[in-house]
Amino acid sequence: MSEFVRVAALSEIPDPGKNVYEVDDRFVIVIHAGGQVYCLDDVCTHDDGPLGEGDLEGYEIECPRHGAKFDIRTGKPTLMPATQPTQVHEAKIEGDSIFVRLVD
């Protein structure tokens, strides 16, 4: 497991909102929702689509390619055609900074 890395200021991502960042050669989505931050791989497990380009509604993000949806808290798919979860990473707020630690 890697160390926590600062990816953004909390003020850079509205609540609700999201941004894509590259952390250790991996693209991840950092999501600010309900006063918390979440982080998951920027990939739909159905066809490797860019989840970060999808719509965020509540605690779900929708893949823009085929409409698969994932729970941002767990990475689990909530709507077909995806059947496998996307990887979730640790995210935390310290002061006005967002930190992410990649999980493999």
Side-chain angles (χ1 to χ4, degrees):
M1 189 177 297
S2 65
E3 297 297 316
F4 276 99
V5 175
R6 185 185 185 279
V7 293
L10 184 61
S11 58
E12 291 177 33
I13 307 175
D15 184 354
K18 60 185 170 43
N19 279 335
V20 175
Y21 299 95
E22 186 174 358
V23 177
D24 294 337
D25 298 322
R26 190 174 192 161
F27 288 98
V28 296
I29 312 162
V30 176
I31 301 164
H32 187 193
Q36 300 293 317
V37 289
Y38 305 92
C39 181
L40 53 149
D41 279 350
D42 182 26
V43 62
C44 174
T45 57
H46 167 247
D47 75 346
D48 296 329
L51 279 181
E53 295 177 13
D55 291 331
L56 178 64
E57 186 173 323
Y59 291 101
E60 288 184 320
I61 191 162
E62 180 178 2
C63 179
R65 289 194 182 162
H66 299 112
K69 291 185 180 181
F70 296 85
D71 186 310
I72 64 171
R73 299 164 295 189
T74 64
K76 292 181 180 177
T78 59
L79 186 67
M80 299 272 294
T83 59
Q84 297 298 313
T86 193
Q87 181 66 53
V88 172
H89 305 284
E90 293 182 49
K92 67 180 180 178
I93 300 168
E94 285 187 5
D96 185 45
S97 294
I98 300 171
F99 291 85
V100 168
R101 179 164 51 193
L102 298 182
V103 177
D104 287 319

